[in-house]
Amino acid sequence: MGNIAVDPTTSLLFIDFTNGAALHLSGTAELEWVTPGGPGDDDGTGRRVRFHPEFTSTNRLALATGRDVSYSPHNPALQP
């Protein structure tokens, strides 16, 4: 979060590891302070990030097959 406070330039990269499709978003982000546990709060932290995309790009990546890729043990659990 400190990085965004210092430099709001941000990028997001979404990769579909099954087919190599990629979506790249770049733009700016701002850190917003909200009531902890209130609407839009990120996991009860009292803050949220609002992303403002300015550029989008889609492409295909040359990736190893899906069986060679695994999820990071540091990712939070998926919510239903």
Side-chain angles (χ1 to χ4, degrees):
M1 299 295 173
N3 292 350
I4 293 172
V6 173
D7 182 358
T9 304
T10 51
S11 290
L12 300 170
L13 178 63
F14 300 94
I15 300 172
D16 183 337
F17 287 99
T18 59
N19 65 18
L23 170 64
H24 175 233
L25 306 171
S26 61
T28 57
E30 61 183 302
L31 184 58
E32 297 179 346
W33 297 100
V34 296
T35 303
D41 182 18
D42 289 344
D43 201 26
T45 62
R47 64 180 179 251
R48 65 179 169 211
V49 175
R50 187 173 304 267
F51 179 68
H52 305 278
E54 297 169 5
F55 176 79
T56 62
S57 173
T58 58
N59 54 28
R60 293 244 179 245
L61 302 174
L63 298 174
T65 61
R67 68 179 181 276
D68 298 327
V69 177
S70 61
Y71 292 103
S72 168
H74 305 289
N75 285 343
L78 295 176
Q79 303 297 318

